[in-house]
Amino acid sequence: MKFEGTKDYVATGDLTVAVNAAIALERPLLVKGEPGTGKTELARQVAGALGVPILEWTVKSTTKAQQGLYEYDAVSRLRDSQLGEERVHDVANYIRKGMLWQAFEAEERVVLLIDEIDKADIEFPNDLLQELDRMEFHVYETGETIRAKHRPIVIITSNNEKELPDAFLRRCFFHYIRFPEPDVMAAIVEVHFPGIKQSLMREALTQFYDIRETPGLKKKPSTSEALDWLKLLLVEDLDPEDLKRDGKDALPKLHGALLKNEQDVHLFERLAFMARRKDG
């Protein structure tokens, strides 16, 4: 199995090397990067390129590692016992399989995405160490051991909201998706909007990178926001000239696709005000 990118996903050379290295080492691939740089989509594209199913486990602040293995519904079993239900005699009826269990018992190799692992409690990654290492876990309620029929390709994403434990990091192959350079971004745009006018794309991307580099910006727009903005520009059938800004009009056209909080909008309004005062 070798990943070489897809027609729908522009993968840089170092990213494809990282994916294939993780597969060869049989280690989880830990992918970090700014939100909106395609970390989650990478897992989907790897699955598509390799022709294997994908299981997606989206982590939240309340998610516990045990949920990835299984959950035992003791409350339902107690209720059924009070009602005299026959199924109560088999504890397996009250075991809900988690994503790791589903990946382990799959009849073919799968991609297992553990998305945004840094949102969970700091102990969450450590609680998965043994299961990801040994590719097995014990179900105490039934006494059975679940072993992986085929070792899944594990891709873990993180937005760097908190540091991950060293013991966990040692077991992963790490890759940081850098924010795309303009030439890579242009290739990404071409994938999503084939045949886009080059003059419009050049002007739009010039403005986009200028906005990202504006000092004092609280939230830099991401790749996904750039694509949303370009989609709106195409829907509105705007020309490069329509996008031109001077100092007196610092806000970009349809800026709501790029600036996502009032502080950043006010920043550009202040820049415009200062430019008007200077010219006045």
Side-chain angles (χ1 to χ4, degrees):
M1 285 186 166
K2 196 159 189 179
F3 176 66
E4 295 177 348
T6 71
K7 63 180 180 62
D8 298 321
Y9 188 90
V10 178
T12 57
D14 57 345
L15 178 55
T16 58
V17 166
V19 171
N20 292 317
I23 293 173
L25 291 171
E26 297 187 330
R27 297 272 191 182
L29 173 63
L30 174 61
V31 185
K32 290 187 179 183
E34 288 184 32
T37 48
K39 301 184 296 297
T40 302
E41 187 60 25
L42 170 66
R44 296 169 183 156
Q45 294 296 327
V46 169
L50 301 181
V52 300
I54 182 170
L55 295 173
E56 300 187 22
W57 183 14
T58 302
V59 176
K60 300 177 182 178
S61 60
T62 55
T63 303
K64 301 299 180 186
Q66 180 65 31
Q67 293 171 293
L69 308 179
Y70 67 92
E71 292 182 273
Y72 169 53
D73 191 351
V75 174
S76 291
R77 194 180 187 199
L78 175 61
R79 183 181 63 243
D80 287 350
S81 69
Q82 293 169 339
L83 295 172
E85 294 283 350
E86 190 64 29
R87 67 194 300 266
V88 77
H89 300 295
D90 185 357
V91 69
N93 290 324
Y94 303 93
I95 300 289
R96 185 168 61 192
K97 298 175 182 179
M99 284 297 178
L100 263 74
W101 188 328
Q102 295 176 46
F104 286 4
E105 73 173 5
E107 294 300 327
E108 60 178 314
R109 197 175 197 185
V110 302
V111 169
L112 173 62
L113 168 64
I114 304 176
D115 202 19
E116 298 190 336
I117 195 171
D118 52 324
K119 281 192 173 176
D121 183 85
I122 191 63
E123 290 304 317
F124 179 93
N126 280 339
D127 290 343
L128 289 176
L129 285 180
Q130 182 169 307
E131 289 76 14
L132 291 176
D133 256 359
R134 298 184 181 178
M135 285 288 146
E136 66 177 40
F137 63 90
H138 187 70
V139 183
Y140 295 99
E141 290 77 6
T142 63
E144 62 185 320
T145 297
I146 306 301
R147 294 185 179 87
K149 295 180 181 178
H150 306 278
R151 192 178 192 97
I153 298 167
V154 181
I155 297 179
I156 302 170
T157 73
S158 168
N159 286 328
N160 246 350
E161 291 183 8
K162 62 169 69 85
E163 288 296 319
L164 298 174
D166 288 347
F168 179 79
L169 294 175
R170 280 199 301 272
R171 289 165 169 81
C172 297
F173 191 93
F174 171 75
H175 182 75
Y176 183 84
I177 297 183
R178 293 181 177 83
F179 196 82
E181 296 293 330
D183 58 333
V184 176
M185 182 68 84
I188 293 171
V189 171
E190 286 281 5
V191 165
H192 287 82
F193 307 110
I196 187 173
K197 291 178 183 176
Q198 293 297 304
S199 55
L200 176 64
M201 182 169 68
R202 279 195 300 271
E203 179 62 32
L205 291 185
T206 297
Q207 284 198 30
F208 173 75
Y209 280 96
D210 285 346
I211 291 167
R212 274 187 58 86
E213 292 166 12
T214 301
L217 198 66
K218 185 176 181 182
K219 183 196 175 303
K220 294 181 178 182
S222 68
T223 305
S224 60
E225 287 157 344
L227 295 174
D228 285 346
W229 186 49
L230 275 159
K231 183 176 181 179
L232 286 175
L233 299 183
L234 292 170
V235 167
E236 295 293 326
D237 197 23
L238 298 179
D239 293 321
E241 287 300 316
D242 297 325
L243 301 185
K244 297 283 187 186
R245 296 180 299 157
D246 55 33
K248 298 176 184 178
D249 184 21
L251 280 169
K253 297 284 186 186
L254 301 166
H255 64 269
L258 297 174
L259 304 176
K260 297 302 177 73
N261 59 65
E262 63 276 15
Q263 294 98 317
D264 289 343
V265 172
H266 291 157
L267 171 64
F268 279 87
E269 289 174 342
R270 285 197 302 274
L271 292 174
F273 176 73
M274 290 167 62
R276 286 195 296 271
R277 284 188 61 182
K278 184 178 179 182
D279 291 345

